[in-house]
Amino acid sequence: MAQQLEEDPATKNDTPEFVSTGNAKAQQAMEVAEEARQKDYANPSFGGQLFMGRFSPTLMHPFPKQSEEDKRIGDVFIVKLMDFLKANLDPEEVERTHEIPKYVIKGMAELGVFAMKVPKEYDGLGFSQVNYNRVVMQVSSYCASTAVLISAHQSIGVPQPLKMFGTEKQKRQFFPRFRQGSISAFALTEPNVGSDPAEMSAEAVLSDDGSHYILNGEKLWCTNGTIADIIVVMAKTAPKIVRGKERKQISAFILEMNTPGIEVIHRCEFMGLKGIYNGAIRFTNVKIPRENLLDAEGRGLALALATINVGRLTLPAACTGACKLCLSIARQWSSSRIQWGKPIGLHEAGSEKIAYIAATTFAMEAVTWLTATWSDEGKVDIRIEAAMAKLFCTEALWKIVDMTMQLRGGRGYETSASLKARGEPALPVERIMRDCRINMILEGSSEIMKLFLAREAMDPHLKQAGALLNPRSSIGARLSAASKAFGHYSLWYPKQWFDEMSVSNYREMGDLEEHYQFIERTSHRLARKLFSSMARYQQRLESKQMLLSRLIDVGVDLFVMSAVCSYAIARIKEAPFDKSPIALADYFCREARQRIAARFDSLGKNNDKLANELAKQVLDNKMTWLEQGIVQV
Ligand SMILES: Cc1cc2nc3c(=O)[nH]c(=O)nc-3n(C[C@H](O)[C@H](O)[C@H](O)COP(=O)(O)OP(=O)(O)OC[C@H]3O[C@@H](n4cnc5c(N)ncnc54)[C@H](O)[C@@H]3O)c2cc1C
């Protein structure tokens, strides 16, 4: 294995690291993730500012609007595509046969579906993120497997990293193929590597003459992997020596799937998404031309993370599509199903669910369009908000589909095929539930999203006082950091208290003004709590996931509240006589405020220690007696 004995300039400076308190492997994983992390914010971040006690409503209010011209482009395409799909694709058939018919894939290719995100100058449709999301929302409400085929191809598959990191030559070579219908995939996960890519074992070794890499290894759960023409694959390359220590390097490559040595060893089957083409792939001495390296050697993990940062803007759209369908089913069923003398939606237990479903769907729509428009405009850094939107929308969909199933009673649990066979409307609630569960796991699980958000939320403090918190810093560095930090925080911290007591007016928010004032006030409280947790736990904070989770949840709710209020006002401006957007936003905010209060309460009063102790005993096999009395797996 070739070694490059060089110092990495990125780690030479004083950039503070999030120091792991775990073992050497955990430390190494953290270092690899830190190195791959995008460190600077060129544009303002709404969410980042919230965590620092700064509410910046002007970043989202007035709510950004899609231009009429862009909207028209999306409208025309959506009508064409959905007419085609409704005429040619039966979602029930996909469910039964586990196949999306080849002629449907061909028809979509002819419409340009696989080139939606490819820039026009490379023969693509050059869609905005908003239009792309609108398409995904429509398709996911009709056939989730087909939406995943489209999304895995261009949210994370070759078009996205190629657009962000490809050379002009690579773009000219690969982009036009997507207009011809080439399908791509993204191969990062391995049997032993899921959330933590540092332990990746697939390896690409540069040939002696430097003309190509030889790839060996295995990738798991690669969506579209069984039918893809071309994939982006991440693999270890020769390590670097940084500060005398070997540091793992991960690189990304574009790989033609017809290259000798590639074998799809298994098509994976899941509880839902029965029609996705997801595979385990083995690479044996696969030759990748050197010019297929994306970006530079060692930049593969950063590329993968940056790709997913943008790619995950699509999941909120897919989730919102599914929620709109749930809302429609819940509304129609709950108003027509009479039990105990009245519609089930009018019994309080039903009303509560209907209100949650409607208000939360509206909030999901707000963050979906906000983040997509921000991405198109490029004036706001959306890393934090894309993660917040992914976390919020995937979790909310799960709750909404669960409530919809409960409202539908036994019919919710019955398959749509069975319902249809006995003459009832084929409402696919159980299918939506099976299809959507994975969203909280892939493209960054909910737990990993919270860790990501916590890291970003703490970044300004780490920049300010990182050396102070880092046990590996020299005494001199710690003293100098302490005096710098004291100067800064002796003003900053009291300011958060003070500012919490005097909030601005937001007259333009009408009936929603008090919610904007609450967000402003609470952002100061959140910033204080985050800072005091850092000061109290120092480097141990990284392992205090239950505490961090509460703080992150508060930040997410504040972000969504901001978005939904602004979205409601924008809708009212368009249709002044319909006040329902205000009612939806108001209900969402009132519920969110209760959640926030409960989370702040549980910062000081909780059972975290007991949970840790109990879990340790279970994992130490001290309570296996509880598993007796069943047939073991
Ligand atoms: C249907 C499907 C499609 C997929 N498509 C693709 C694809 O196209 N390309 C691709 O590369 N991968 C794909 N994946 C893989 C997917 O991205 C991973 O499943 C995901 O990254 C989680 O990895 P894992 O399953 O190995 O879970 P693990 O990493 O083993 O995690 C298991 C659980 O532990 C939690 N956890 C892990 N680390 C921590 C931590 N530090 N703190 C707290 N909790 C933690 C996780 O949140 C999770 O709940 C797909 C998976 C599925 C099922």
Side-chain angles (χ1 to χ4, degrees), residues 152 156 186-191 193-196 220-223 270 273 276 278 438 441-448 451 545:
I156 54 174
F186 175 87
L188 177 67
T189 306
E190 296 181 2
V193 174
S195 307
D196 163 24
L220 184 62
W221 297 324
C222 180
T223 305
F270 303 99
L273 298 175
I276 65 171
N278 181 296
I438 187 59
I441 297 172
L442 48 62
E443 290 184 29
S445 65
S446 294
E447 292 79 6
I448 298 301
L451 293 185
Q545 293 189 350

